[in-house]
């Protein structure tokens, strides 16, 4: 007979029905493929008598299988479940009633403590039914209140929000080592980006903002947070001085850090920030990109021993495992990062990789009947929607934002059309028509436990607002602008709960209250001179402009309506509000016009 193992179930009605019929509490484990302590809790650390595996202990497995219904969830595949049940990190260990309400929970629980916890939870569940019912109702009430931030009547977007957030970021800034907050210290790339945006766009150049960004980015690139052998950033530092990281590497983090470093290198004229970004691009291409399929994988596992090796020693040992799952939201973020990298480095190959990725992800994840993207597809081709995961907000808005970025750089209509195809699902299935903003998942009368109450994630709503703002700037659609403003106003009071981690919201508000430079590039898209003007339109600053590619035949009515001449094509018109400068016909002239208005 083999060893007793925990009989994990998938999250779903079958497992919860089993719990109800057998009157057993549920043990929900939220794990991740990249999570070191999740592996320790499962299997232990070989040769370490202190850190033995909790779930591989036969006595514990027997207790769980007999008296509980164990459910295992991957946080990357089910961000909606993680958002509602996470207990402060991974692994999360949370005990639920058969209806999915929380009894108690923790993160990592070693074997000796787990035996005691299991028996205590079991006794509490059997002996305190009335109290459990009362607490479940109270938790549900609080959850309902927290899930629905709404726009105040008469509220307006103003500079108060980004300036307040810049103050919070400055207060959290570590002047010794850079970064924000104490240990453990996370990158918070949007906090640095908001500082940079204000540094560039503010009424005066505040060198304190530049110094905060410079020290933070050098700290992350020069210390233990960065892999100096293979390139790329680890997920976070356990220490204030960036010296000791958690060693997993995430696609999402690289998608956010690469454009930040490249933009900071440009703005601060600091070549020392360009190199780590370029090495990180090489790492992503080498390790997380599948050139055959044109997609990016989700993450690379943590392995402390591997990352302590030299380049020669690493070559003799297999690298940490890669999670070969394609996440639509993270691929959208990485495609956008590659487009920005192509702009700032002047290397078209990154743009070509981004365009291929957007095509591949659309083919793999778009569900025509739902009009939306599935959250993930695994290496075997199994999709999230086949596993009962509904189309989620983050996937739609991150892909749509990247698709608009691709359209602006190429003029290829398929990218604009895909972004528009996702819009009906956003507005019919996810929009809060009364309070503004978007829920993370659609209404589902069969949803279990905390999934019955939909949430409005701040960061995904900020991305949604940016998407709608860009859509308005490209097409003149006033309804898109109104949706963006209402989305942002829904969080106009609520964002303070997030402290400086609300920086993505601050960036979206900044975008809404700042008139972007608009560059209309008119010319046949197949003409290399048109493509050179499109490329030149993005040089220097990919964050504060909108580029409108206009084909002289396809877009003739719009060109006439704008009053643009079509003599001597290709040509570019640089505009701010209603003011447009004289036409530019070369990349050099376009750079001059843009600098004059920026």
């Amino acid at each position: 007979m083999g060893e007793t193992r925990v009989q994990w179930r998938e999250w779903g009605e079958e497992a919860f029905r089993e719990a109800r019929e057998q009157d057993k509490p549920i043990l929900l484990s939220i794990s991740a493929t990249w999570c070191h302590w999740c592996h320790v809790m499962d299997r232990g650390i070989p040769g370490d008598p202190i850190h033995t595996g909790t779930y591989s202990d036969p006595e514990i497995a027997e207790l769980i299988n007999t008296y509980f219904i164990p459910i295992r969830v991957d946080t990357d595949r089910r961000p909606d479940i993680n958002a509602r049940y996470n207990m402060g990190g991974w692994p999360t260990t949370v005990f639920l009633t058969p209806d999915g309400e929380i009894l108690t929970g923790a993160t990592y629980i070693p074997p000796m403590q787990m035996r005691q916890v299991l028996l205590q939870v079991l006794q509490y569940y059997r002996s305190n039914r009335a109290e459990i019912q009362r607490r479940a109702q109270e938790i549900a009430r609080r959850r309902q209140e927290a899930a629905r931030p709404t726009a105040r009547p008469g509220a307006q977007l103003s500079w108060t929000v980004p300036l307040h957030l810049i103050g919070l970021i400055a207060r959290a800034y570590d002047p010794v080592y850079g970064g924000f907050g104490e240990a453990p210290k996370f990158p918070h790339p949007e906090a640095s980006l908001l500082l940079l945006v204000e540094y560039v766009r503010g009424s005066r150049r505040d060198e304190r903002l530049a110094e905060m960004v410079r020290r933070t980015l050098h700290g992350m690139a020069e210390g233990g947070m960065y892999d100096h052998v293979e390139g790329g950033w680890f997920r976070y530092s356990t220490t204030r001085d960036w010296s000791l990281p958690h060693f997993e590497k995430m696609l999402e983090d690289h998608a956010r850090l690469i454009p930040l470093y490249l933009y900071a290198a440009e703005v601060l004229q600091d070549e020392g920030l360009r190199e780590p970004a370029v090495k990180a691009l090489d790492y992503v291409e080498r390790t997380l990109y599948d050139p055959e399929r044109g997609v990016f994988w989700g993450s690379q596992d943590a392995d402390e021993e591997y990352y302590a090796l030299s380049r020669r020693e690493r070559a003799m040992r297999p690298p940490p495992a890669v999670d070969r799952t394609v996440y639509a939201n993270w691929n959208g973020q990485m495609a956008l990062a590659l487009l920005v990298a192509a702009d700032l480095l002047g290397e078209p190959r990154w743009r070509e990789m981004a365009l291929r990725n957007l095509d591949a992800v659309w083919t793999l994840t778009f569900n025509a009947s739902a009009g939306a993207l599935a959250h993930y597809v695994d290496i075997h081709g199994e999709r999230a929607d086949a596993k009962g995961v509904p189309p989620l907000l983050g996937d739609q808005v991150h892909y749509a934002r990247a698709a608009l970025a691709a359209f602006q750089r190429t003029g290829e209509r398929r990218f604009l059309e895909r972004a528009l195809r996702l819009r009906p699902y956003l507005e019919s299935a996810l929009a809060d028509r009364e309070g503004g903003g978007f829920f993370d998942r659609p209404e589902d009368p069969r949803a279990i436990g905390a999934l019955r109450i939909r949430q409005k994630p701040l960061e995904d709503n900020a991305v949604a607002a940016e998407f709608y703002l860009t859509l308005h700037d490209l097409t003149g659609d006033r309804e898109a602008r109104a949706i963006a403003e209402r989305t942002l106003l829904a969080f106009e009071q609520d964002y303070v709960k997030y402290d400086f981690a609300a920086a993505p919201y601050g960036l979206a508000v900044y975008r809404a209250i700042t008139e972007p430079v608009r560059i209309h590039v008119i010319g046949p898209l197949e003409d290399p001179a048109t493509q050179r003007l499109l490329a030149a339109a993005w040089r220097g600053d990919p964050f504060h402009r909108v580029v409108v590619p206009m084909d002289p035949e396809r877009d003739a009515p719009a060109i006439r309506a704008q009053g643009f001449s079509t003599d001597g094509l290709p040509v570019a018109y640089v505009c701010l509000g209603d003011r447009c400068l004289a036409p530019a016909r070369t990349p050099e002239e376009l750079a001059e016009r843009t600098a004059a208005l920026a």
Side-chain angles (χ1 to χ4, degrees):
M1 288 181 63
E3 282 188 5
T4 304
R5 297 178 183 275
V6 177
Q7 301 300 310
W8 296 111
R9 276 76 152 177
E10 289 192 355
W11 176 282
E13 177 53 38
E14 187 178 332
F16 281 85
R17 183 172 62 247
E18 192 179 343
R20 288 192 297 272
E21 290 172 353
Q22 298 180 24
D23 193 21
K24 291 179 177 178
I26 288 163
L27 189 164
L28 172 63
S29 168
I30 304 179
S31 185
T33 59
W34 43 260
C35 165
H36 171 71
W37 287 103
C38 300
H39 301 328
V40 173
M41 200 164 171
D42 279 342
R43 303 185 294 270
I45 299 176
D48 186 337
I50 297 174
H51 295 109
T52 57
T54 303
Y55 293 130
S56 58
D57 183 304
E59 183 187 334
I60 291 173
E62 183 68 31
L63 268 174
I64 292 172
N65 291 336
T66 304
Y67 298 108
F68 296 82
I69 301 297
I71 296 175
R72 171 61 63 85
V73 163
D74 181 285
T75 183
D76 295 337
R77 295 191 173 196
R78 293 306 306 260
D80 53 341
I81 295 174
N82 178 71
R84 290 157 172 83
Y85 288 110
N86 193 284
M87 287 287 161
W90 299 277
T92 269
T93 311
V94 57
F95 295 91
L96 309 177
T97 69
D99 292 323
E101 296 300 338
I102 295 172
L103 294 168
T104 188
T107 50
Y108 170 76
I109 305 178
M112 191 176 299
Q113 187 183 342
M114 181 60 111
R115 292 186 187 89
Q116 184 181 356
V117 168
L118 291 170
L119 296 174
Q120 286 174 342
V121 169
L122 199 58
Q123 182 180 4
Y124 175 72
Y125 176 74
R126 289 174 172 174
S127 309
N128 297 274
R129 297 304 175 93
E131 184 188 345
I132 289 169
Q133 180 67 20
R134 182 189 60 75
R135 282 189 65 223
Q137 291 172 346
E138 175 62 20
I139 290 170
R141 184 187 64 78
R142 290 203 306 266
R143 196 183 283 138
Q144 185 85 42
E145 289 174 357
R148 290 184 177 264
T150 57
R152 288 185 302 130
Q156 298 289 322
L157 295 174
S158 74
W159 289 104
T160 303
V161 171
L163 293 179
H164 179 225
L165 276 165
I166 286 167
L168 293 176
I169 293 167
R171 191 171 70 186
Y173 172 67
D174 180 348
V176 179
Y177 298 106
F180 312 103
E182 296 293 326
K185 192 177 273 185
F186 288 82
H188 295 291
E190 288 80 14
S192 290
L193 184 54
L194 184 55
L195 298 179
L196 268 186
V197 166
E198 174 62 14
Y199 175 70
V200 171
R201 304 284 288 183
S203 56
R204 62 186 178 84
R205 288 282 172 112
D206 187 340
E207 292 301 326
R208 294 172 302 171
L209 303 179
E211 178 56 24
M212 283 192 272
V213 174
R214 190 180 287 110
R215 188 177 291 270
T216 296
L217 300 192
H218 276 288
M220 284 194 290
E222 292 162 12
M225 264 282 291
Y226 195 82
D227 182 349
H228 298 281
V229 176
E230 294 183 340
W233 291 272
F234 300 114
R235 192 165 69 93
Y236 71 93
S237 175
T238 62
T239 56
R240 179 187 168 197
D241 64 356
W242 306 109
S243 60
L244 186 61
H246 252 221
F247 286 95
E248 54 272 352
K249 291 181 180 177
M250 313 296 294
L251 177 64
E252 179 188 27
D253 291 335
H254 287 80
R256 295 159 73 187
L257 286 165
I258 286 168
L260 168 64
Y261 269 76
L262 291 175
Y263 184 49
E266 185 92 12
V267 168
L268 304 178
Q269 298 183 330
D270 187 339
E271 282 300 311
L273 297 177
R274 198 180 311 274
E275 184 185 349
V278 171
K279 280 186 68 178
L281 279 166
D282 292 339
Y283 160 76
V284 169
E285 181 180 24
R286 188 174 60 250
T287 307
L288 298 180
Y289 182 61
D290 179 352
E292 184 181 333
R293 296 175 177 85
V295 295
F296 294 97
W297 305 125
S299 60
Q300 187 174 25
D301 205 346
D303 185 337
E304 193 169 339
E305 292 180 10
Y306 176 84
Y307 288 114
L309 301 174
S310 67
R311 184 180 298 278
R312 216 182 92 197
E313 292 169 321
R314 281 196 208 187
M316 297 155 55
R317 175 174 168 164
V322 169
D323 173 17
R324 285 178 161 77
T325 306
V326 180
Y327 296 98
N329 55 340
W330 293 355
N331 273 258
Q333 287 175 274
M334 194 65 223
L336 180 58
L338 291 173
L339 292 170
V340 173
D343 298 336
L344 295 176
L345 294 173
E347 292 188 21
R349 77 184 190 92
W350 297 123
R351 188 187 73 167
E352 296 311 311
M353 185 183 285
L355 302 181
R356 185 178 176 219
N357 174 255
L358 289 170
D359 286 339
V361 170
W362 184 265
T363 301
L364 282 172
T365 66
F366 184 68
N367 181 330
S369 60
L373 303 170
H375 175 51
Y376 68 81
V377 176
D378 69 18
I379 185 68
H380 306 295
E382 188 166 61
R383 292 161 50 116
D385 42 17
K387 304 288 286 183
V389 186
L392 302 175
L393 173 63
D395 303 292
Q396 320 314 313
V397 295
H398 278 293
Y399 185 94
R401 182 174 67 166
L404 290 187
F407 169 69
Q408 290 180 80
R409 285 157 175 84
T410 64
E412 295 180 22
R413 296 284 297 187
R414 71 181 184 279
F415 296 115
L416 176 60
E417 287 162 2
R418 287 174 190 167
L420 293 173
R421 284 190 75 180
L422 296 176
R423 186 176 173 182
Y425 178 80
L426 285 170
E427 292 170 29
S428 64
L430 301 180
D432 180 359
R433 292 183 186 84
E434 295 177 9
F438 296 87
F439 295 110
D440 62 339
R441 47 178 285 136
E443 193 81 66
D444 181 3
R446 299 167 299 171
I448 297 164
L451 290 180
R452 288 191 290 263
I453 299 173
R454 300 193 291 167
Q455 296 181 351
K456 292 184 190 173
L458 178 70
E459 189 168 332
D460 288 345
N461 271 270
V463 176
E466 289 189 12
F467 160 63
Y468 277 98
L469 289 167
T470 304
L471 198 57
H472 164 260
D473 289 332
L474 286 172
T475 66
D477 185 334
R478 292 182 180 178
E479 178 63 18
R481 171 83 196 186
I483 291 171
E485 290 183 357
R486 194 155 175 75
T487 297
L488 294 172
L489 285 170
F491 297 89
E492 170 250 350
Q493 291 181 297
D494 226 54
Y495 80 91
V496 295
K497 297 177 183 176
Y498 298 82
D499 198 23
F500 69 89
Y505 174 72
L507 285 164
V509 173
Y510 210 121
R511 170 81 171 78
I513 59 180
T514 306
E515 184 82 45
V517 171
R518 280 189 343 275
I519 303 174
H520 299 261
V521 177
I522 306 171
L525 294 173
E526 65 276 7
D527 186 338
T530 305
Q531 290 298 320
R532 284 195 291 273
L533 280 178
L534 279 174
W538 289 102
R539 288 224 179 97
D541 190 348
F543 293 104
H544 300 110
R545 58 191 64 162
V546 173
V547 178
V548 188
M550 306 181 86
D551 183 89
E553 293 184 9
R554 182 190 69 199
D555 300 309
I559 293 169
R560 283 196 300 271
Q562 296 269 5
F564 296 140
S565 169
T566 54
D567 293 338
L569 298 180
V571 67
Y573 289 89
V574 181
C575 306
L576 185 63
D578 295 330
R579 179 191 174 203
C580 294
L581 301 183
R585 303 185 189 281
T586 66
E588 293 74 22
E589 287 180 353
L590 180 51
E592 289 173 11
R593 306 284 194 279
T594 306
L597 278 189

